Amino acid sequence: MTETPTTGTPTTGTPTTETQMTETLPPRELRTLFLFESLDDGQLSALSSAGRVETRAAGTLVYGEGEPATCFFVLLSGTVAMSRRVQGDEVEVSRTSQRGVYGGATQAYISGEQHQLYLNSLRAVTDAEFFVLPAEVIAECVREWFPMAMHLLEGLFIGMRATQTVVGERERLLALGSLSAGLTHELNNPAAAAVRATSALRGRVAGMRQKLAMIADGRLDGSQLHDLVELQEDAVKRAASAPELSPLARSDAEDAIADWLDDHDIVGGWDLAATLVAGGVDVEWLDQIAGAVGEENREPAVRWLTYTIDTELLMGEIDDAVNRISSLVGAAKQYSQLDRAPYQTVDVHDLLDATLTMLHGKIPQGVRTVKEYDRSLPPIPAYAAELNQVWTNLIDNALCAMDGEGTLTIRTWRKDGHLIAEIGDTGPGIPPEVRPRIFEPFFTTKPVGEGTGLGLDISYRIVVNKHHGDIRVESTPGDTRFRVVLPITQAPRDDGR
């Protein structure tokens, strides 16, 4: 909360049943708070007389995001949770019970910032007690007592806000562009296959109509036509269940079919052989055709049946392509979590697989992906979309470290009531002197212009602050492992649920 959690609606007027007020906090008590420990007696007395002590019951809202920022709060006891609204959903940002942390109108001293609003919401997780100062009092004190510090803080705040806005927007655009490019590449392959198969299918259907006219021009009687239709149905079944042959076996089968077609004076037999073998047809099955339609009608019947098999195979290709597209769209929805509640019970493996699918286009051919999942792990309560952001950052860093060649390993297992997800790579490793700083904001080991230094900082805050877990790293040359530790049981939430 020292990062400026803000607190509560202004508590003027008669206290409610959820808010109780006492007189003031004595100066000697104020000095025990780290924020005020360096003030002199006169300054402490001024704050003591201007402020008041309030208590809030567990589960009550101290203040709401977007309300006028009229109060500055310092936590005396209890536990509080700060949250932000993101597209209509309440997202917990931090939770603390540290005495002396503060929030509320923390920017009141900034000149020109009129009608300031609370930038987030604060809720009492347990019964909590606060020392409360009006915003105008804390603003006047900062300006009068610390003029140089006030100017420095003002410049720092405005500069950081502008920097974070620009860098954050750039980071989001780069991530969106990268994922969009990968998804577009993955969608293009099955889409192109579907278009190609549809075009070929149109030609096959036209050929079938021509052969049907030749077969049905009176050459075949009703019995022969019935037998031919039965052969057609059998050909469809064979095509649907045709085994996958090795290249050598396929070549031998095509030679046998081509020889049979040549022996029976069917022109262009080699062109037909590949389709017939792909449809599971053999020489014995072809021998049935003359018995069904007669020797004189063998060739048009063979071509009719070949068109039938080719049509089934093409429809199978279209079906596979459409299913692939559907799977990719499903993975994108799983990754973005756009149509789902932000906090839900999820299977971490689904999230990892969705992230791998989204990043598939970025994985070089020289990188081998190994998945070692413990499928006995139960679903866990989590902010799914934000965990996907963690997986994206860790996998992207691993791919960058390997520089196009190596092994990406993703493992999960259970330990001491926690789910552990590990992202490993075989890159050069993280130097020992750098390792303590990798989770710092804006720190990056990538070349200038290639990294903003926010990925691991964001991942750390998502895992530690929001999920009450941990993120650790072990690294030696050729073996770097980031471990994300998440509680399996549900942690208390800041919205009372």
Side-chain angles (χ1 to χ4, degrees):
M1 217 171 94
T2 52
E3 300 86 348
T4 70
T6 48
T7 41
T9 50
T11 54
T12 58
T14 304
T16 66
T17 56
E18 296 177 346
T19 304
Q20 298 179 355
M21 298 169 57
T22 63
E23 297 298 323
T24 59
L25 193 67
R28 65 178 182 279
E29 291 294 329
L30 281 177
R31 194 179 292 281
T32 64
L33 301 171
F34 66 83
L35 187 62
F36 307 125
E37 62 186 0
S38 297
L39 299 181
D40 60 36
D41 292 341
Q43 292 168 334
L44 289 173
S45 296
L47 292 178
S48 176
S49 61
R52 60 189 180 274
V53 176
E54 295 182 7
T55 59
R56 297 295 176 93
T60 60
L61 187 68
V62 180
Y63 70 88
E65 181 178 346
E67 296 173 350
T70 59
C71 295
F72 179 85
F73 295 82
V74 182
L75 182 66
L76 300 177
S77 65
T79 301
V80 292
M82 187 170 67
S83 62
R84 291 286 306 272
R85 272 198 303 271
V86 180
Q87 296 184 352
D89 296 313
E90 285 290 327
V91 178
E92 183 179 314
V93 176
S94 66
R95 180 181 298 233
T96 184
S97 58
Q98 181 184 353
R99 186 174 187 271
V101 296
Y102 54 87
T106 56
Q107 299 157 17
Y109 62 86
I110 298 176
S111 59
E113 295 279 326
Q114 301 298 323
H115 309 294
Q116 292 189 26
L117 305 176
Y118 291 120
L119 302 180
N120 42 55
S121 299
L122 193 72
R123 186 178 296 273
V125 178
T126 66
D127 291 346
E129 187 176 48
F130 303 91
F131 176 64
V132 184
L133 284 168
E136 59 271 16
V137 171
I138 193 69
E140 183 180 354
C141 291
V142 172
R143 291 173 186 153
E144 180 181 347
W145 297 345
F146 315 105
M148 181 178 175
M150 189 274 290
H151 290 301
L152 289 172
L153 288 171
E154 187 177 44
L156 178 64
F157 170 75
I158 294 174
M160 285 294 292
R161 182 169 61 181
T163 300
Q164 287 180 340
T165 298
V166 173
V167 173
E169 289 177 354
R170 181 62 176 169
E171 185 85 3
R172 287 191 293 272
L173 284 173
L174 288 173
L176 180 60
S178 176
L179 291 174
S180 298
L183 183 60
T184 302
H185 174 76
E186 292 300 310
L187 286 171
N188 181 65
N189 291 333
V195 171
R196 184 171 56 251
T198 302
S199 177
L201 181 62
R202 186 176 289 110
R204 301 303 184 274
V205 171
M208 287 183 68
R209 289 197 298 266
Q210 295 175 0
K211 295 303 176 186
L212 179 62
M214 294 175 62
I215 291 174
D217 63 358
R219 301 180 192 179
L220 301 179
D221 58 28
S223 175
Q224 289 176 320
L225 190 58
H226 182 270
D227 290 342
L228 182 60
V229 171
E230 285 189 350
L231 281 174
Q232 184 184 34
E233 291 298 323
D234 187 49
V236 170
K237 293 178 182 178
R238 282 176 172 267
S241 59
E244 186 69 25
L245 299 177
S246 67
L248 181 59
R250 185 185 304 111
S251 178
D252 291 343
E254 290 177 3
D255 288 341
I257 293 291
D259 290 342
W260 187 94
L261 295 173
D262 289 341
D263 292 343
H264 292 82
D265 300 323
I266 296 177
V267 179
W270 182 252
D271 293 333
L272 304 180
T275 299
L276 293 171
V277 170
V281 169
D282 54 23
V283 171
E284 289 74 16
W285 188 85
L286 291 173
D287 287 334
Q288 304 176 49
I289 297 176
V293 299
E295 296 288 343
E296 66 281 4
N297 295 314
R298 179 190 285 116
E299 181 170 357
V302 167
R303 294 190 179 278
W304 161 261
L305 294 171
T306 302
Y307 280 130
T308 297
I309 293 172
D310 204 8
T311 299
E312 287 299 312
L313 294 175
L314 289 170
M315 287 194 293
E317 287 184 27
I318 294 172
D319 185 59
D320 289 342
V322 172
N323 284 335
R324 175 64 177 155
I325 292 172
S326 178
S327 298
L328 286 167
V329 171
K333 290 178 65 177
Q334 176 72 266
Y335 181 84
S336 65
Q337 299 286 311
L338 287 177
D339 58 346
R340 307 182 187 190
Y343 192 78
Q344 56 181 299
T345 301
V346 296
D347 187 335
V348 167
H349 304 117
D350 291 342
L351 304 184
L352 288 167
D353 286 341
T355 303
L356 284 172
T357 299
M358 295 297 292
L359 294 176
H360 186 267
K362 292 188 65 176
I363 300 177
Q365 291 186 350
V367 172
R368 185 170 66 100
T369 301
V370 176
K371 296 191 290 186
E372 299 176 2
Y373 292 167
D374 180 359
R375 291 293 185 178
S376 67
L377 286 169
I380 64 170
Y383 293 94
E386 296 186 44
L387 278 186
N388 282 338
Q389 190 175 4
V390 173
W391 311 140
T392 300
N393 291 334
L394 296 181
I395 292 172
D396 186 59
N397 283 349
L399 294 175
C400 290
M402 289 185 286
D403 195 23
E405 187 172 343
T407 301
L408 173 69
T409 304
I410 303 176
R411 301 184 183 92
T412 61
W413 69 91
R414 181 176 189 159
K415 183 178 181 181
D416 299 331
H418 289 79
L419 180 150
I420 300 176
E422 181 181 85
I423 311 296
D425 67 74
T426 55
I430 305 171
E433 64 273 14
V434 169
R435 210 170 301 155
R437 301 190 58 197
I438 60 174
F439 294 110
E440 293 180 11
F442 301 106
F443 178 81
T444 179
T445 58
K446 296 178 182 178
V448 175
E450 292 188 14
T452 62
L454 292 176
L456 290 179
D457 169 57
I458 292 171
S459 299
Y460 182 88
R461 287 189 278 115
I462 289 173
V463 173
V464 177
N465 296 343
K466 298 202 61 175
H467 291 87
H468 312 293
D470 196 11
I471 182 168
R472 308 162 185 170
V473 60
E474 294 180 2
S475 183
T476 58
D479 186 13
T480 297
R481 305 180 185 189
F482 280 88
R483 292 195 181 107
V484 175
V485 182
L486 299 168
I488 291 178
T489 56
Q490 182 170 356
R493 297 190 61 199
D494 68 325
D495 57 3
R497 284 184 284 176

